[in-house]
Structures are given as C-alpha cells and as structure tokens.
Amino acid sequence: MRRKGLASMAVQSAEAVTTTPAADAAPASVDLGPAKGLSCRECGEHFPLGPIFACELCFGPLEVAYELPTGDPEALRKQIEAGPDNVWRYAPLLPVPADVAGKPNLNPGWTKLVKADNLARELGITGGLFIKDDSGNPTHSFKDRVVAQAIEAARAFGFTTLSCSSTGNLAGAVGAAAARAGFRSCVFIPHDLEQGKVVMAAVYGGDLVGIEGNYDDVNRFCSELIGDSLGEGWGFVNVNLRPYYAEGSKTLAYEICEQLGWQLPDQLVIPVASGSQLTKIDKGLKELIALGLVEDKPYKIFGAQAEGCSPVSTAFRDGHDVVRPQKPDTIAKSLAIGNPADGPYVLDIARRTGGAVEDVDDEQVVDAIKLLARTEGIFAETAGGVTVGVTRKLLASGALDPALTTVVLNTGDGLKTLDAVAPTSQATAVIKPSLDAFRAAGLAE
Amino acid sequence: MRRKGLASMAVQSAEAVTTTPAADAAPASVDLGPAKGLSCRECGEHFPLGPIFACELCFGPLEVAYELPTGDPEALRKQIEAGPDNVWRYAPLLPVPADVAGKPNLNPGWTKLVKADNLARELGITGGLFIKDDSGNPTHSFKDRVVAQAIEAARAFGFTTLSCSSTGNLAGAVGAAAARAGFRSCVFIPHDLEQGKVVMAAVYGGDLVGIEGNYDDVNRFCSELIGDSLGEGWGFVNVNLRPYYAEGSKTLAYEICEQLGWQLPDQLVIPVASGSQLTKIDKGLKELIALGLVEDKPYKIFGAQAEGCSPVSTAFRDGHDVVRPQKPDTIAKSLAIGNPADGPYVLDIARRTGGAVEDVDDEQVVDAIKLLARTEGIFAETAGGVTVGVTRKLLASGALDPALTTVVLNTGDGLKTLDAVAPTSQATAVIKPSLDAFRAAGLAE
C-alpha cells in the first residue's frame, strides 16, 4: 500500500467524505466488520476507514463509527455467549472482520471478574465488590486488548510493520502480537528503561530501538517517522492506528456486564493515563444499553490517578474543564502521562455520571497493592494499586456508595513493577534449619 | 483438628482399612466429592481420606482413589461444558466437594491451548501443533492447579495454616491461594533466593521464612516440622497434602482433550521435575477414556528434562528402571529436582506409550524460549524452553512423528526467569532521536 504523510491522507479523506457517506467510502477491500468509518469526536465530521487519527477540519480525535447489529438482543446475546473465550466473542461490536477468530492473534480478554469478598469486608463495601483482573491477558496487561484491534486494522490496511512508542507494557504487547500475527515489529523505547522491561520487549524477536531521550522524545521521534517515507508501510498502534486500537478497551465494559449476568454495575473505578480506557468503557456501556443487552440504569464512573501524575483529578477537584499538563513523578509509571489526550472527556464522563476523579500518593499505591494481594491473592501492578487505593479514598469521602455494586479495574501484573513493593515485601525471618530456631522466631501457631 | 506424627496417623488409617472399605472409612465430615480414599501406588493398600502421603505397609506413594461418575458420557460432557471457565468444571473428577466453585479459591485453569502454526512450520510439524500455555494461570504457573486442590483438602481436614517448601513458583502460588481462601500461610525457601522470587512470595502477606541452606535443607526442615507439635494444624501442600495436590495436574489432560474437541492428542511433550505432572496427565487421559468422554486410541507421552538435571532421561537412554539421583546444575530451576520421586513411573509411561524421555542443554533451552516467543508471541519460563527444545530434538531424531497431533506444555511464565534470556534479548540499536540516526541504523524497511 502507498502511504503519504498524515496531513495529505486526511485531506484526501475529508474530500472523499463530502461526496459519499462514510459507510460507502471505505475501499471495498477494507473489511472491519461493523466499523463503517471514522468520525470526529469534536465536530462530528465523517471520514472513511483508514490509518488516520485526527480530524482534518478541527484536529479533534477520530473514533470508529459503527453500524451495530439491530434486531433481537436475545439473539445477539446468545451469539456472544456461544463465541470464543476471548475478546472476539464481541466481534459484532468491534472494528474487526467477522472471521477474526480464525486469524492469528493473541486472542486476549475474557479475563476473570473476581468477586472480592475479603477486600469488600476490609473496605466496608456491602453491595458487592469485583476486581476485573486484566493481569490474566497474554502479556499480562490490558494492552493486549487494544493491540489485538490494531493488529486487525493493520492487516486490513496492508501494513507489514507494527510499531509504537512505549515505556514498557505496550512494547511487550506489540512485540508478542506482531510475532504471532506475522508482522515485523519495530518499537521505540527510552534507552534507559529498566532491564526487565527491555528483555520483555526484545524476547519476541522484533526490532527494539532505544532512543536517547525521555518518553516525550520517543513520541516526537515517532511522529516524525510517521510523516516520513522511512515510516512507509508502518502501523503505529497508538498513533495512526489509534482509533481502532482504542476500541479494544470497550471489551472491558462488555465483559464486566456479561460476567455480572448481563447487568450494569453501579460504580466503576478505572485508572486514568491518557483517559482513553475510561472513555471507551463508557462508550461500551452505552452501546450495551442501546443494543438492549443490558437494562438501562444509572452508573457512576470514577477515574483514578497517582498524585505524582494527577492532571485530571486536579482539574476535577478544581472544577476546571481544561486539564493542565504535569511533569510526572510517580511509581505508577504505566499511568504517567502528564498531558492526557482524553482528559477533558474523562472530566465530562465523571461529572455526567455522578462519579469523580481522585488520586492517591505512592505510599497509598503500595499499601493498596499489598491490601489486594493479602485479601484476594491478586498481585497487581502499580496501576492496580492506584485504583484500589482510590476506591478506599472515595469510600472514606463518601463519593463511593458502599451499598452499591462496585467494579475496580486491575489493568496489569505486579511482576512488572516488583520494585514498588520490594522494600516492604521480604522474608519474615531468616533462620537456621532447626526446630529450635523456628520456635525462637515465634512463627508457629 | 488433632494431629499426630505421620507414622501414627498412617497406622490408624491402615488399621481402619482392615475392617471397613476405604469409601466408608472416611469421616463423615470429610467431603471431597468423588474421592473416597487413598490407595498405595505400589502395593494397592487402601486408606481413608486424610493428610497422609506414604503407605504404612510399603512406603509407596499414596494417591487418591475415586468413585467416578458412571452413566451417560454425553450427560457428563454437557455438565462439564456448562461449568465454570476454570478447573472446577471438572469437579466431578477431582478430590473436591461438588460445591467447590462457590468457595474462595483462585480458580485456576482453562488456560489457552494455542494452535501454534508458525512454530509448526519452523519445526516441520504437519499434523497440528498446540501449546498448552499455563502462564495464563493466576500466579502464572501450573502450580496454581495443584495448590487449588490442596486448598480444598486443607479445608476438609481442618487445617488453618498452609505451608510448603519451595524455590519460587510454589511459594507464590501458596501465598496467593492461602490469602484468598482465608488460610494463614507460612512457606519456606532457601534464604538466598533471587530478590524477585522473594518479593513475589512475600507480597501476599503470609509468613515467608528463609532457611540458611539449600533446597534440600529446606525440605529436611519441613519433614521435621511435620513430625513435630510445632507443625500441628499445618497443611504442607507438597508433603502431607501431596496426594490431593498432585491430582491437580490431571486437569491439564482434561482441558487439552476438551479443547481439542474431546479428542486425545497423538503425542504430548511434558516437562519432568518430580515426574508427578506427567504421571497425573497420563492418569487423567486414562480416566477420560474409561469414562467414555474421548474415544480410546493410542497416545505417546514424552518427558522433557534439562541436561543439567536429567536423571530420568539418562535412565531412559540407558534402559534402566532405576533413576540415579543427580546434583542439578541448570537454568531450568523449576525442573531442578535431582531425585525425582515419580521418575520410575515416568519411565514406565514413556515406554508403555511408545514415547521417550529426552533432555536439552541450557543453550538449547534459551534458543527454544526465543523460538516460541518469536513464532507465537508466547514468553515461556525455562521449563517451556525445555519442552519446546526437546520437541525439536525428538523431531530430529525421529522419535516424534511430525504428521501427528502434538501438544507441548508451557508450565510457567518467562517473566519469572528473565535472567535466562536477558543476555541475548536486548535493544537492536540505541540511537539519537533523529530520522538520520534511524536511517543509519538500517532498520527501516
């Protein structure tokens, strides 16, 4: 496929859309199932399906526009339930071809929704508490969900190389998915990333390029590359494939409701990095209501940030509509986006649904990781510590109602952020191999 | 519950069994579903259900004896398929009460059986190659399966503390499962274990005791503790609960066959540490045949070891029935049991089914980890490198038939053994953030 710079492609698309409806404008060869075009989240302008991500008219973010199934919700529900134990059970609601389950993909999703009765007792929640535990995904973070969608878009658009800028989780998810799906991968990371994250990203055999600079430098470099002929044929999952990629987070909403017996939860606590995940979960819930798959009722969405990177919670607290960028300094590195693209939408959703956006400091993050581990045997990455910690804080402030059904997201695995808990998670005692020594340690009960 | 030393308990049991059938001898309060007693694998003597593991008469290992469901296989198959997406779908075939799915447990299992077409192409397998990927379990190793059974036995026997000796994976699995199931845990590890493994075991909040000595010293200490009043009320998952614990590996056999559409694979490649897993998978396959859940046909079982700890493959090669202990020296630490208890049974099964036991060296283990990652996006721990490496070696020697359906086990997660691949999994290039620098690196396509 022939690619040009982003600007010229977007112009082409905008022109195309003036003469034909988006649904018809997509090239016949692009089959992304119910996805029939892209629409601007700001001005509503339509564009045909393509590797574009910003509106030519207003520079707003583009998102996938669907022709979702109409007809009997019961039939759709049955179809979904008979589908595979992964995100593709929701293929009729995602930007993927109907035969997606037969294509090579890591097939993430359908992770556990854990009824967390022990944690509920500790927190005083009586209405039912659930942890949606995405550490069960193939590379152990929710990133597998979004990359899985990007892979199918990349296939449809004829890309042969998959790429991204990443500080860790995404690099591994792209490397793994590309390997299985038969793409070359070339991902970009800051050159001084922790050794463990480098290994995890490199082991899948794709190219891994360390950029001398910080994450912002990596991002700027990737934007340059997309505009240059050097990047021709490259799908950047979180840039030019972002509209498709982002839709993967909707599957969290679908799974939570299906696992609750096709019911909406009353309250959700969701981490906020770029804000995309929270925004798409709200979109997914609204789709389920519109499709008649769940009964319509109010739900509240709560965003969770780390104090050391809290641009959205700060704006929420201050009553602002604008999110002022911050320079991140927190152990919750997977949430450390100082200038979150979807921050204003997060504010809208939290306010519209009667939720809130709150933050916790690093010490509270560590405490919450250990609380979740101690009560439910779930070892969360720092982002999970953020959501559990914020849940505790919101209960204390009265913003979360303990009598309502509450779902808290854990989006990653503690094995990836061992450093956060290492100082306080050590052997209780070190003893000589003798019963006397054990007796002296006072650990027998 | 009142416990005495192992020997006296076993005597009690042996006496009981002389007067009443095992099925009736179990105390009324012990409900472990279809498990009706224990039987000696060597002499066949029966014992009632209890926290014992060695035959009083011949010191042979005890294993669970069942009254398995009789009647229509189709009805049983339907019951299983309607069950939960975890090991408890097979509750009618496991030593657990029928209502087990409602009890707090990590609910492992129902991990992915990945059709590995890319790897099959590289290896020249034409009959279908599948990876049973147990890195998807809650603590990312197959140990969750066995610990889940031990938890239910511990509950039935009234234990309040769960324990084990471990070099890593098991410590984490026990800590996590105990936390969720409401047991105290106190696990024992060599004091000089890698930091990461210590953190993973400690984070769940149970007691973690470092023993000044090696794994053998830890084991000896645990045996002493079981015989002493200090260990009263303690369930050691891999010692006095071992008969129940070990049954968890049967679920790998059940899942593989169900995921193949209720069919036996032709060939299985299984890692060998103590040999228990391979032995129980064979037991599980035979049960499925006996129950009419799969059509009876021959299958071959292959055992995989690391050259640096290859007591069973050495005995197989030499045509011996006796397994001579070795001092382990391999990067595949989760398989490094120099004196494998079930080694002779592994030899029996490999010979009876027409399989083999083979080993690969550490370099081949690393190559195989990277081969699997590069082709299928699965990052295996060293034990997975052993099975994939042995698969390749057995294909080269002609022992494995490339035209037959082959299932290879990956029993753990690469995140736990990063050191094995770190030296050869690094950034392809480190560059300044400029297109010129990228062009010079020669990575653009």
Side-chain angles (χ1 to χ4, degrees):
Chain A
M1 115 163 230
R2 186 83 197 107
R3 281 190 69 256
K4 299 178 184 163
L6 162 72
S8 64
M9 288 213 62
V11 169
Q12 278 193 313
S13 307
E15 281 166 1
V17 95
T18 54
T19 53
T20 25
D24 302 327
S29 62
V30 173
D31 171 14
L32 290 175
K36 298 303 178 187
L38 298 172
S39 69
C40 174
R41 185 152 179 148
E42 287 298 324
C43 73
E45 186 67 31
H46 283 265
F47 300 87
L49 294 170
I52 53 171
F53 58 99
C55 176
E56 172 67 14
L57 305 181
C58 74
F59 300 105
L62 300 184
E63 59 176 9
V64 175
Y66 296 94
E67 275 175 15
L68 290 181
T70 53
D72 182 20
E74 198 48 49
L76 178 56
R77 197 181 288 140
K78 285 220 172 78
Q79 181 188 343
I80 290 170
E81 289 173 350
D85 292 343
N86 57 52
V87 292
W88 305 134
R89 65 201 283 114
Y90 307 108
L93 314 180
L94 293 170
V96 295
D99 63 348
V100 62
K103 295 175 188 285
N105 196 302
L106 289 181
N107 303 332
W110 203 239
T111 56
K112 290 183 194 295
L113 183 73
V114 177
K115 188 145 196 294
D117 290 344
N118 298 330
L119 180 60
R121 258 191 306 278
E122 293 238 4
L123 295 177
I125 290 180
T126 55
L129 173 64
F130 298 84
I131 305 291
K132 180 60 176 172
D133 186 12
D134 251 15
S135 67
N137 274 320
T139 72
H140 307 317
S141 89
F142 95 97
K143 292 290 185 190
D144 292 323
R145 295 179 184 273
V146 286
V147 171
Q149 319 300 318
I151 286 269
E152 297 309 322
R155 231 192 285 270
F157 299 142
F159 289 127
T160 51
T161 296
L162 277 185
S163 187
C164 68
S165 53
S166 170
T167 61
N169 277 343
L170 184 57
V174 168
R180 171 139 172 96
F183 290 80
R184 181 201 171 207
S185 70
C186 183
V187 309
F188 298 93
I189 55 171
H191 74 295
D192 56 355
L193 218 55
E194 302 94 307
Q195 259 304 298
K197 289 191 178 160
V198 172
V199 173
M200 279 155 50
V203 75
Y204 302 102
D207 284 315
L208 179 72
V209 179
I211 296 286
E212 292 177 3
N214 59 24
Y215 182 61
D216 286 337
D217 296 318
V218 178
N219 262 332
R220 262 191 300 272
F221 170 77
C222 287
S223 297
E224 267 192 87
L225 190 51
I226 288 174
D228 191 88
S229 63
L230 273 178
E232 206 162 297
W234 287 38
F236 284 77
V237 301
N238 55 347
V239 189
N240 58 350
L241 297 174
R242 189 170 186 87
Y244 312 94
Y245 166 90
E247 294 293 293
S249 290
K250 292 196 310 180
T251 60
L252 281 161
Y254 303 153
E255 291 181 17
I256 288 167
C257 291
E258 182 175 353
Q259 290 170 322
L260 287 174
W262 293 107
Q263 291 206 327
L264 292 166
D266 298 315
Q267 307 174 129
L268 296 104
V269 184
I270 303 168
V272 174
S274 74
S276 166
Q277 184 182 66
L278 184 145
T279 308
K280 294 300 183 181
I281 288 175
D282 180 57
K283 185 181 181 188
L285 297 176
K286 287 193 289 188
E287 285 174 354
L288 293 183
I289 294 170
L291 290 163
L293 290 173
V294 298
E295 202 177 333
D296 193 3
K297 68 164 190 173
Y299 58 85
K300 296 181 183 183
I301 290 190
F302 297 84
Q305 297 210 295
E307 189 182 284
C309 184
S310 52
V312 189
S313 55
T314 302
F316 183 86
R317 211 156 28 226
D318 296 346
H320 292 165
D321 293 332
V322 175
V323 174
R324 185 182 298 177
Q326 293 183 357
K327 192 169 176 332
D329 178 20
T330 169
I331 58 169
K333 293 194 199 303
S334 62
L335 302 184
I337 297 184
N339 190 12
D342 287 349
Y345 304 127
V346 169
L347 292 173
D348 282 352
I349 291 166
R351 288 175 179 142
R352 171 172 55 75
T353 65
V357 189
E358 188 51 275
D359 54 70
V360 283
D361 65 29
D362 284 359
E363 198 180 323
Q364 290 169 315
V365 171
V366 171
D367 283 354
I369 291 174
K370 295 177 75 174
L371 173 64
L372 181 61
R374 177 168 60 76
T375 52
E376 302 298 340
I378 296 172
F379 184 20
E381 72 145 49
T382 44
V386 168
T387 51
V388 171
V390 161
T391 299
R392 180 150 62 174
K393 194 167 176 181
L394 290 168
L395 284 162
S397 73
L400 264 175
D401 184 342
L404 296 180
T405 304
T406 306
V407 175
V408 176
L409 266 65
N410 172 38
T411 52
D413 200 293
L415 285 180
K416 298 193 178 191
T417 55
L418 282 174
D419 289 349
V421 295
T424 57
S425 296
Q426 294 295 327
T428 321
V430 175
I431 62 170
K432 291 195 189 308
S434 83
L435 294 178
D436 282 347
F438 184 59
R439 197 175 286 112
L443 295 173
E445 253 186 6
Chain B
M1 115 160 233
R2 186 85 197 107
R3 280 190 68 256
K4 297 175 185 166
L6 162 72
S8 63
M9 288 215 62
V11 169
Q12 277 192 314
S13 307
E15 281 167 0
V17 95
T18 54
T19 52
T20 24
D24 302 326
S29 63
V30 173
D31 171 14
L32 289 176
K36 299 302 178 188
L38 299 172
S39 69
C40 174
R41 182 147 182 150
E42 287 299 324
C43 73
E45 185 66 30
H46 281 265
F47 300 87
L49 293 170
I52 53 171
F53 57 98
C55 176
E56 173 67 13
L57 305 181
C58 75
F59 300 105
L62 300 184
E63 59 176 7
V64 176
Y66 295 94
E67 276 175 13
L68 289 181
T70 53
D72 181 20
E74 199 48 49
L76 177 57
R77 198 181 289 139
K78 285 224 172 75
Q79 180 187 345
I80 291 170
E81 289 174 350
D85 292 342
N86 56 53
V87 291
W88 306 134
R89 64 200 285 114
Y90 306 108
L93 314 180
L94 294 170
V96 295
D99 62 348
V100 63
K103 296 176 188 283
N105 196 301
L106 288 182
N107 303 331
W110 202 241
T111 57
K112 289 183 195 295
L113 183 74
V114 177
K115 186 145 199 293
D117 291 343
N118 298 331
L119 180 59
R121 257 191 305 278
E122 292 239 4
L123 295 177
I125 290 180
T126 55
L129 173 64
F130 298 83
I131 305 291
K132 180 61 176 171
D133 185 12
D134 251 14
S135 67
N137 274 319
T139 72
H140 307 317
S141 89
F142 95 98
K143 292 289 185 189
D144 291 325
R145 296 180 183 273
V146 286
V147 171
Q149 320 300 317
I151 286 269
E152 298 309 321
R155 231 192 285 271
F157 299 142
F159 289 129
T160 51
T161 296
L162 278 185
S163 187
C164 68
S165 54
S166 170
T167 60
N169 278 343
L170 185 56
V174 168
R180 173 143 171 95
F183 290 81
R184 180 199 173 210
S185 69
C186 183
V187 309
F188 299 93
I189 55 171
H191 73 295
D192 56 355
L193 218 57
E194 302 94 308
Q195 259 304 298
K197 287 189 179 162
V198 172
V199 173
M200 279 154 50
V203 74
Y204 302 102
D207 284 314
L208 179 72
V209 179
I211 296 285
E212 291 175 5
N214 60 23
Y215 182 61
D216 286 337
D217 295 317
V218 178
N219 262 334
R220 265 191 299 272
F221 170 78
C222 287
S223 297
E224 267 193 86
L225 190 52
I226 289 174
D228 191 88
S229 62
L230 273 179
E232 208 163 294
W234 286 39
F236 284 76
V237 301
N238 54 348
V239 188
N240 58 350
L241 297 175
R242 189 170 186 86
Y244 312 94
Y245 167 91
E247 293 293 294
S249 290
K250 292 196 309 179
T251 59
L252 281 162
Y254 303 153
E255 291 182 15
I256 288 167
C257 290
E258 182 176 352
Q259 289 170 322
L260 287 175
W262 294 108
Q263 291 207 328
L264 292 166
D266 298 315
Q267 307 175 129
L268 296 104
V269 184
I270 303 169
V272 175
S274 73
S276 167
Q277 184 181 66
L278 184 147
T279 309
K280 295 298 181 181
I281 288 175
D282 179 57
K283 185 180 180 189
L285 296 176
K286 286 194 288 189
E287 286 173 355
L288 293 183
I289 294 170
L291 289 163
L293 290 173
V294 297
E295 202 177 332
D296 192 3
K297 66 163 192 175
Y299 58 85
K300 296 182 184 184
I301 290 189
F302 297 84
Q305 297 209 294
E307 189 181 285
C309 183
S310 53
V312 189
S313 55
T314 302
F316 182 86
R317 211 156 28 226
D318 296 347
H320 292 164
D321 292 331
V322 175
V323 173
R324 184 181 297 177
Q326 292 183 356
K327 192 167 176 329
D329 178 20
T330 168
I331 57 169
K333 292 194 198 304
S334 63
L335 302 183
I337 297 184
N339 189 13
D342 287 348
Y345 304 127
V346 169
L347 291 173
D348 281 354
I349 292 167
R351 288 175 180 141
R352 171 172 53 76
T353 64
V357 189
E358 188 51 274
D359 54 69
V360 282
D361 65 29
D362 285 359
E363 197 179 325
Q364 291 169 314
V365 171
V366 171
D367 282 352
I369 291 174
K370 295 177 73 173
L371 173 64
L372 180 61
R374 178 169 58 79
T375 52
E376 302 298 340
I378 296 172
F379 184 20
E381 71 146 50
T382 43
V386 168
T387 50
V388 172
V390 162
T391 299
R392 180 151 61 174
K393 193 167 176 181
L394 290 169
L395 283 163
S397 74
L400 264 175
D401 184 342
L404 296 180
T405 304
T406 305
V407 175
V408 176
L409 267 64
N410 172 39
T411 52
D413 201 292
L415 285 181
K416 298 192 176 191
T417 55
L418 282 174
D419 289 349
V421 295
T424 55
S425 295
Q426 295 294 328
T428 321
V430 175
I431 62 169
K432 292 197 188 309
S434 83
L435 293 178
D436 282 347
F438 183 60
R439 196 175 287 113
L443 295 173
E445 252 184 6

